Amino acid sequence: MSRPRTLAMAVVAGVLTIFVAPAAAFATPAVSGTETMPVYSYQNAVRESVWVQTSLDNDGDGVPDRVAVDIVRPREAAARHLKVPVILEGSPYYACCGRGNESELKEYDASGTIAKQPLFYDNYFVPRGYAFVSADLAGTNRSTGCMDVGGREEVLGAKAVIDWLNGRARATYADGTPAVATAWTNGKTGMIGKSWDGSVANGVAATGVEGLETIVPISAISSWYDYQRFNGVLRAPDYPEYLASVVSGRPASVCAATVAGLDQGSDDATGNYNAFWASRDFRPDARKVHASVFIVHGINDTNVTTTQFAQWWSRLDVPKKIWLSQMSHVDPFDIDRAAWVDVLHRWFDRWLFGLPNGIDREPQARIETAPGTWVNERSWPASGAHQTKVTLGNGDGLTGTLGGGSSGGFRTWTDAPDLSEAAAVASPNTAVPGRVAFLSAPLSSGVRVSGTPAVSLRVQVDKPTTELTARLVDYGTASRVDYLGNGEGITTLDTSSCWGASTTADDACYLDTAEDVVTSDHAILTRGWQDAAHHVSLRFVTPLQPGKWYSVTVPMQATDQRIARGHVLGLILQASDNEYSSPQSVGATIRLDLRGSSLSLPLVGRLPASGATAPIVSTAPAPSTFAPMRVQPELPS
């Protein structure tokens, strides 16, 4: 265990400026330049638990549902009548699954008062003049109500906490006496959280609630439909019910009606976007967001996929910032720890204390371009990216080409439900039943794909529908983050480092991590899925007629990847995908018209013109097993 570490603080002109605030003022007693300083005692902080009353009663007991809230705040600030801002995390995972790389749970003392908060937020920020507040989402841990998985109960329950912090809602202590927050906070609140927790922050921000000044959604959901469906393709059956059962803290009989509503509303049978999903889609309400937004996401996240951040980001008209790593579903604290703690500190100082530290004038985007290599950019997607139409060529009749003049020709394949991703993308010059491949010429100079690719396919299908799957592949040897490994891009080390103050019950020390880097001869850059019968609308099914030609667009996940000189870009098409989804219609035969099909790339640079035939690409042998990778749904954790 390493000794506690204090980050270096910038001191303007070498002078520490002390501000002593009048009673009831909003201030911090010590600022170095434009940075809050750790002057409050974490050991002696006020620790308390309250229950915030909501306007809902979805457990049907005739009593308003209550959200359990655990608070750690600086005692000295309260004694001096200084009102402090709040960092809030709402989560369903505090009792069932844990938070962070070490799966920390909440812990309470003998009286039921919070003794340990997961993660470093309270350890680091409470000494700097913030309160840290963690809320158990409705139906989880010590809250009442029933978990409705992204619905009104979840979002409005978390919003009620902000209303209470601003004097607009009621709360009580365990003994029933009133709990008043306005005595110690001015109500300025920032929400943070990874995955489901960050999704709650997105949802609450979309209500436009007064007092929410900023959110930091990490690997977060902005549309629960897109999390549990891929354009009409079912990701896993009975998914909302599964999620609710994992996190619920209530007896099954109490929440049976809510769970039944999840089953009925989610409509596995059709995969349609309906009123149930619309109520869990925060993107249309992006115009209501007035809080600043700092998005963090892994560009290779296969759990909460990248359309979640890209479509949210593009609709936000507020001060915003974005970090994109090469990881899968990993917290930035476990990627670039020192840089993350520093930027998060500055972000909260700017938006919750109003300190003019300039972070809002810095480049919006920080992007990991290769293992451990980061660049800052003015905006995202890259300003030089242009949507480029890439034609599909016939090649040698087996392996097609990307780029160059449009050519005629067809490809026909029959769905192979057990075809694994590894086998589908390996050896693109060979015949593999169930997939077709298209390759660019070797790149004469590096290019960058920044944004959301898509492939438009003109197809005939011999069944009323089929899943269509597209993968964009970089063929070429390089060192890459192993985002498909067990650590989703990181390895946990034996050493540790400390980020804040500690108590006996709650230390600020965490195991260090390192990027998991491998050398590979190819990498999947992005994926996309589409149910063909939803080609007209996601709101209804339009069955295909055998023998009739249809244009079906397969959107891919947003990405930002660089493809090096000499590498080959590949497009791999197949039908159903047993690893990332649960196909409902399999076995179709698809005929593809090349002249009526194309790939759309948000491209910086140019692909070379293709030759008459595709280049020869060799890859390591694919694994011999075709077993599905995922046998049960993932948690958005």
Side-chain angles (χ1 to χ4, degrees):
M1 185 72 71
S2 62
R3 298 181 62 186
R5 176 177 178 179
T6 302
L7 297 180
M9 305 296 179
V11 180
V12 176
V15 177
L16 177 65
T17 305
I18 306 295
F19 295 92
V20 179
F26 166 50
T28 183
V31 171
S32 174
T34 56
E35 186 173 12
T36 55
M37 300 292 289
V39 299
Y40 293 117
S41 168
Y42 180 71
Q43 176 76 35
N44 194 40
V46 175
R47 291 171 171 83
E48 56 188 349
S49 303
V50 305
W51 280 259
V52 175
Q53 181 176 301
T54 76
S55 60
L56 307 171
D57 178 24
N58 81 336
D59 58 12
D61 63 358
V63 178
D65 298 331
R66 299 189 306 159
V67 173
V69 175
D70 296 309
I71 303 161
V72 182
R73 56 186 176 87
R75 187 177 300 275
E76 299 92 335
R80 297 173 60 184
H81 305 290
L82 301 178
K83 294 189 176 184
V84 299
V86 171
I87 297 171
L88 167 64
E89 182 176 43
S91 178
Y93 292 129
Y94 287 133
C96 76
C97 311
R99 306 311 300 126
N101 189 42
E102 298 172 42
S103 300
E104 291 186 300
L105 300 171
K106 283 185 176 181
E107 296 179 10
Y108 300 91
D109 63 19
S111 69
T113 300
I114 189 69
K116 177 182 174 63
Q117 299 266 32
L119 306 176
F120 75 100
Y121 302 137
D122 57 325
N123 308 81
Y124 187 85
F125 285 104
V126 170
R128 288 169 167 79
Y130 294 83
F132 178 72
V133 173
S134 59
D136 301 326
L137 297 185
T140 70
N141 201 15
R142 302 200 294 179
S143 292
T144 63
C146 295
M147 167 50 66
D148 62 353
V149 187
R152 292 182 69 251
E153 181 84 10
E154 178 180 305
V155 172
L156 296 184
K159 173 183 175 291
V161 178
I162 297 176
D163 286 332
W164 172 66
L165 292 168
N166 285 273
R168 300 188 298 266
R170 297 178 180 178
T172 62
Y173 295 104
D175 63 4
T177 58
V180 179
T182 51
W184 54 265
T185 177
N186 71 331
K188 288 183 177 290
T189 302
M191 292 189 73
I192 189 170
K194 177 187 172 225
S195 202
W196 199 331
D197 308 358
S199 311
V200 177
N202 284 338
V204 174
T207 70
V209 61
E210 184 180 352
L212 182 60
E213 303 298 324
T214 190
I215 62 171
V216 184
I218 302 166
S219 305
I221 295 165
S222 60
S223 164
W224 280 87
Y225 178 86
D226 278 357
Y227 180 66
Q228 299 181 24
R229 302 282 188 272
F230 291 137
N231 300 301
V233 176
L234 183 66
R235 192 164 184 182
D238 302 320
Y239 206 172
E241 306 96 288
Y242 165 78
L243 294 176
S245 69
V246 170
V247 303
S248 178
R250 308 300 308 282
S253 60
V254 170
C255 295
T258 299
V259 173
L262 295 175
D263 180 46
Q264 180 178 4
S266 56
D267 188 16
D268 283 357
T270 68
N272 289 348
Y273 181 95
N274 56 22
F276 174 91
W277 295 113
S279 69
R280 291 160 171 80
D281 186 352
F282 310 136
R283 296 168 191 165
D285 288 326
R287 56 187 169 76
K288 296 181 182 178
V289 176
H290 60 73
S292 61
V293 180
F294 187 176
I295 288 174
V296 183
H297 218 100
I299 208 69
N300 291 306
D301 196 333
T302 60
N303 183 342
V304 178
T305 52
T306 55
T307 188
Q308 297 290 349
F309 84 78
Q311 292 200 25
W312 185 233
W313 170 265
S314 67
R315 299 184 188 205
L316 292 169
D317 186 21
V318 294
K320 57 186 181 180
K321 190 174 184 67
I322 192 167
W323 273 25
L324 300 175
S325 77
Q326 287 289 325
M327 304 292 154
S328 184
H329 201 59
V330 178
D331 194 293
F333 184 74
D334 297 311
I335 301 171
D336 192 355
R337 192 165 290 182
W340 171 244
V341 174
D342 178 66
V343 75
L344 187 63
H345 181 187
R346 295 177 63 228
W347 186 261
F348 282 143
D349 276 0
R350 168 64 183 88
W351 297 108
L352 297 183
F353 271 108
L355 297 179
N357 55 26
I359 195 168
D360 49 322
R361 298 190 299 275
E362 294 174 359
Q364 275 190 344
R366 184 176 189 245
I367 303 168
E368 188 178 22
T369 60
T373 300
W374 294 80
V375 298
N376 293 322
E377 298 199 350
R378 182 174 61 85
S379 60
W380 191 88
S383 57
H386 301 286
Q387 210 68 34
T388 303
K389 181 179 178 180
V390 181
T391 57
L392 307 186
N394 196 37
D396 61 4
L398 172 62
T399 304
T401 57
L402 289 177
S406 178
S407 65
F410 299 88
R411 290 291 187 277
T412 301
W413 75 97
T414 298
D415 182 19
D418 291 329
L419 178 62
S420 69
E421 178 175 79
V425 303
S427 304
N429 302 101
T430 64
V432 174
R435 76 103 196 260
V436 293
F438 300 87
L439 300 176
S440 75
L443 271 59
S444 54
S445 59
V447 300
R448 177 181 177 187
V449 179
S450 180
T452 303
V455 59
S456 296
L457 305 176
R458 187 168 186 261
V459 295
Q460 285 181 334
V461 182
D462 69 347
K463 289 195 173 187
T465 191
T466 184
E467 283 89 359
L468 292 169
T469 301
R471 291 180 171 89
L472 203 60
V473 186
D474 174 7
Y475 290 104
T477 299
S479 294
R480 298 179 169 101
V481 171
D482 186 16
Y483 69 88
L484 292 175
N486 290 335
E488 300 189 272
I490 62 167
T491 298
T492 302
L493 307 177
D494 294 330
T495 59
S496 64
S497 55
C498 303
W499 302 84
S502 298
T503 65
T504 302
D506 190 346
D507 69 64
C509 303
Y510 294 87
L511 292 171
D512 295 319
T513 57
E515 290 193 325
D516 183 7
V517 180
V518 296
T519 299
S520 60
D521 56 22
H522 68 282
I524 298 165
L525 303 179
T526 185
R527 304 162 176 84
W529 305 266
Q530 175 72 44
D531 174 58
H534 282 90
H535 70 284
V536 175
S537 173
L538 294 177
R539 294 182 179 272
F540 53 83
V541 171
T542 305
L544 308 182
Q545 299 178 28
K548 184 176 180 179
W549 287 102
Y550 294 89
S551 293
V552 181
T553 297
V554 183
M556 296 189 193
Q557 296 296 317
T559 192
D560 198 299
Q561 302 280 10
R562 288 159 170 80
I563 307 163
R565 180 178 180 271
H567 286 204
V568 171
L569 180 64
L571 172 66
I572 306 297
L573 302 177
Q574 63 188 98
S576 59
D577 178 0
N578 241 340
E579 294 183 65
Y580 290 89
S581 67
S582 297
Q584 302 298 289
S585 177
V586 298
T589 295
I590 300 107
R591 191 176 192 220
L592 175 69
D593 176 12
L594 300 185
R595 193 180 297 276
S597 304
S598 61
L599 171 66
S600 178
L601 288 179
L603 200 62
V604 179
R606 297 179 62 184
L607 294 182
S610 64
T613 60
I616 302 298
V617 171
S618 61
T619 63
S624 59
T625 177
F626 286 175
M629 181 172 65
R630 295 178 177 84
V631 296
Q632 67 178 22
E634 293 180 282
L635 287 172
S637 58

